[in-house]
Amino acid sequence: QRQMCIRDRGYLGVVFLAKDEWCYRDSTTLLKEYELSQEMHNYYGHLTWQIGSIIIGGSTAGLAIVISNQPRPSGIVSSFAIVVIVMAFAFYLFMRRYREITEVHLARCREIEASLGMKQHTKVKEAELPGPTGWTIVQILCIFLIAFGIVIAICYLPICKFG
């Protein structure tokens, strides 16, 4: 069930809102909320790749440095590889949480767009975009880094005599 909310300003016309939603006097409040939701969406998007570049890049570079300075077998390399695995898993958990938060902000942007006749996020959702999503790329990176860490940890265990 929806209630009708007639705005004070004639150019906004009639807008239907859910019963639990406030009937705004004008579009200023909705536009501000839209702006803030958009900013938070962008914030979590940037934060995702900032954290990812530190964890993934730093872990890979650190592991390469440790490997280059330690002969086989080495408990130090295996230990560092386990830390890399834990960091990759932590990154995955952060990104899963940020993805959920971002979806809430995008859903609210779409609601506001519907109320104000805007279409930016609505059109993007309808588009058939090529290639994997950012979330899929994060999952692939995390799986690869975890698998890579496991292989390195096993190969450098003091009980292994490879190569």
Side-chain angles (χ1 to χ4, degrees), residues 71-73 154-157 160-163:
R72 259 195 213 156
I154 291 171
C155 288
Y156 277 84
L157 280 174
C160 290
K161 304 292 183 196
F162 296 119

Side-chain angles (χ1 to χ4, degrees), residues 55-154:
I55 290 177
I56 293 172
S59 294
T60 306
L63 192 55
I65 291 169
V66 170
I67 289 172
S68 67
N69 291 322
Q70 295 293 319
R72 259 195 213 156
S74 172
I76 293 172
V77 172
S78 293
S79 298
F80 195 85
I82 291 169
V83 170
V84 168
I85 294 166
V86 170
M87 295 299 291
F89 186 68
F91 175 62
Y92 172 81
L93 294 177
F94 277 119
M95 295 313 103
R96 189 175 70 178
R97 182 180 191 302
Y98 293 164
R99 178 180 183 232
E100 295 300 319
I101 293 170
T102 299
E103 287 298 320
V104 170
H105 288 293
L106 286 177
R108 184 60 185 146
C109 283
R110 288 184 191 108
E111 289 172 2
I112 294 169
E113 286 175 357
S115 296
L116 298 177
M118 298 162 53
K119 297 184 189 274
Q120 178 180 350
H121 293 294
T122 306
K123 289 292 184 184
V124 169
K125 187 175 183 179
E126 295 171 1
E128 293 182 27
L129 302 172
T133 64
W135 173 242
T136 304
I137 292 169
V138 165
Q139 288 176 311
I140 291 168
L141 286 171
C142 288
I143 290 168
F144 174 76
L145 191 56
I146 289 169
F148 182 68
I150 290 170
V151 168
I152 296 298
I154 291 171

